Amino acid sequence: MDHTYSRFDTDLIALRSEVSTMADLVERQLLRAVDAVRGGDPALVARVLGDESEVNRRHLQTDLHCNTMIARLQPIAVDLREIIAVLHINNDLERIGDEAKKIAIRARNLQARTLPQGQLDRLHEMAIDVAEMLRESVRAFARRDSALAAEVAARDESVDSARDRLIAELVDEISHNEGLATVGVDLAFVAQSIERVGDHAKNIAEYVIRIVDGVDPRHRAVA
């Protein structure tokens, strides 16, 4: 088999670019969806939902690219780990797009309703945090920086805590105003979707650790 490093490196650079482009797209989806919840903007909802087809197209394109590289170039060791990691990262990015879509649909349901400002601010803060986690996890992937990846993964607990506090606040709001029950449920689902984006960012960071260090951080944590 005529396997040349230059050919493989060219494909690998293209793969990394595809991951970065996809991550930028789903991050924009997420932030626009949360802005749509806060501002009740139907145009933002339409943009988020309209981007779904592009996310799905890129997901399939990168998946095919990975499988083609494995079949054609038969990589081994760290090269194979990276391609397999990209397959997983690609799936996590597509799922972030799915969560953004869910938030956009909730935003459409919440249009023209009175929403508790304090909880909207908390949602915005959560979204900013997980968007940064996503950017940093992809930066760690691009730089092969397992230390940065570990920092990103460690931030997931604070996102979980923020979600729990927000839902507790919503429950308290509803207990004082039953008219907020439907709104509160929708906002709780938005918070859950944002938290799941944080989970996916953590997953990406853990794949970087596997590429660079050759260990599964989940197993290392158990040990």
Side-chain angles (χ1 to χ4, degrees):
M1 171 123 187
D2 181 23
H3 175 92
T4 64
Y5 283 109
S6 59
R7 183 180 182 184
F8 181 82
D9 288 345
T10 298
D11 274 345
L12 206 52
I13 290 169
L15 260 190
R16 292 167 185 168
S17 178
E18 288 171 21
V19 167
S20 178
T21 300
M22 177 83 150
D24 287 344
L25 177 57
V26 297
E27 180 189 340
R28 286 197 302 273
Q29 270 193 302
L30 169 68
L31 294 177
R32 284 172 178 164
V34 174
D35 282 345
V37 171
R38 298 172 70 213
D41 187 345
L44 283 178
V45 171
R47 292 182 73 178
V48 173
L49 298 180
D51 280 340
E52 183 187 16
S53 60
E54 179 64 9
V55 171
N56 291 339
R57 184 189 72 78
R58 289 186 175 278
H59 177 240
L60 293 175
Q61 173 185 294
T62 301
D63 189 79
L64 177 61
H65 193 174
C66 289
N67 282 287
T68 299
M69 286 181 68
I70 291 171
R72 189 181 72 234
L73 302 174
Q74 299 180 12
I76 60 173
V78 67
D79 293 334
L80 180 59
R81 284 207 306 270
E82 178 162 2
I83 296 173
I84 292 173
V86 170
L87 283 168
H88 290 298
I89 290 170
N90 190 41
N91 285 334
D92 276 290
L93 292 174
E94 191 272 337
R95 287 168 185 160
I96 289 173
D98 286 344
E99 295 301 334
K101 175 185 175 182
K102 292 176 186 177
I103 294 170
I105 292 171
R106 295 284 174 181
R108 189 168 57 193
N109 295 341
L110 289 165
Q111 286 171 15
R113 295 190 180 185
T114 301
L115 306 178
Q117 187 60 48
Q119 283 67 52
L120 290 180
D121 291 342
R122 305 289 183 282
L123 286 173
H124 178 66
E125 291 166 4
M126 281 185 65
I128 294 298
D129 285 345
V130 299
E132 185 177 354
M133 284 179 65
L134 174 59
R135 281 195 303 276
E136 291 295 288
S137 66
V138 174
R139 183 176 291 114
F141 169 70
R143 296 179 178 177
R144 300 300 173 274
D145 189 338
S146 61
L148 176 58
E151 291 175 9
V152 174
R155 292 173 62 178
D156 184 57
E157 288 187 9
S158 67
V159 174
D160 293 347
S161 297
R163 184 236 7 233
D164 294 343
R165 287 194 301 271
L166 176 55
I167 291 177
E169 288 180 16
L170 289 169
V171 170
D172 185 62
E173 290 274 356
I174 293 169
S175 70
H176 291 91
N177 182 356
E178 292 183 1
L180 288 175
T182 302
V183 165
V185 169
D186 279 330
L187 293 180
F189 275 111
V190 170
Q192 186 62 38
S193 282
I194 295 172
E195 187 275 334
R196 284 176 181 153
V197 173
D199 287 342
H200 292 304
K202 177 185 177 183
N203 289 346
I204 293 169
E206 290 179 339
Y207 299 137
V208 174
I209 295 170
R210 287 179 226 178
I211 294 170
V212 177
D213 298 340
V215 297
D216 188 328
R218 298 170 303 174
H219 295 167
R220 185 166 59 186
V222 171

